[in-house]
Amino acid sequence: MWNKQQTQPQAPAAPPPQAQSSPAAPPAASPASVIAFGAPSGPKPATSAGTRNSARLGSGLHIKGQLTGTEDLQIDGKVDGPISLNGHQLTVGPTAVLTSEIHAGEVVVFGKVIGNVHARDRVDVKTDGSVIGDISTARISIEDGAHFKGRIEIDPAKSQAAAG
């Protein structure tokens, strides 16, 4: 709707240039495409869905170093270094490869993690997911077909302490 309102103010100004509107039409299309691009991944859906913000690192990114944050994060690229999300959710996408020590509230693994995982609430290793390292959490789920090599320490008190 905002696009239509934006187009209406430009329409009265556009009639004199419409004779020259061939160059004017592409700029009008450019803002619409920018708005359409920002709409699906913009912060509005995340804030309206809840109070938790979310971020995403795409499959073309490779990060070397420490990664910290105070919001949910989905990683689809490569990360070499420790990850700390202060109780928020980390989603390891299907194309992700993490060589990391992970500290988060929840960890969902669709891709590959090499390193220890410490989750306050739960760890889910999905069908095509892989974890090579120790897992420390209150709850765990490892689906059929997932790969896990390491040690598991389950401490339900972690989740209760975090809730209290």
Side-chain angles (χ1 to χ4, degrees), residues 65 111 119 121 136 154:
D121 186 27
S136 173
I154 297 176

Side-chain angles (χ1 to χ4, degrees), residues 16-72:
Q18 277 184 350
Q20 305 167 353
S21 75
S22 297
S30 295
S33 62
V34 171
I35 293 167
F37 176 75
S41 61
K44 290 181 183 178
T47 54
S48 64
T51 58
R52 296 178 75 148
N53 291 331
S54 181
R56 181 175 178 262
L57 296 175
S59 59
L61 296 175
H62 186 164
I63 297 176
K64 292 183 180 182
Q66 182 176 356
L67 185 61
T68 61
T70 56
E71 61 186 3
D72 294 349

Side-chain angles (χ1 to χ4, degrees), residues 52 85-88 103-106 118-122 136-139 155-164:
R52 296 178 75 148
L85 294 181
N86 293 331
H88 291 272
H103 293 270
E106 292 183 32
H118 306 276
R120 191 183 316 165
D121 186 27
R122 74 177 295 134
S136 173
T137 185
R139 299 181 301 167
D155 186 3
K158 280 185 167 186
S159 183
Q160 293 171 357

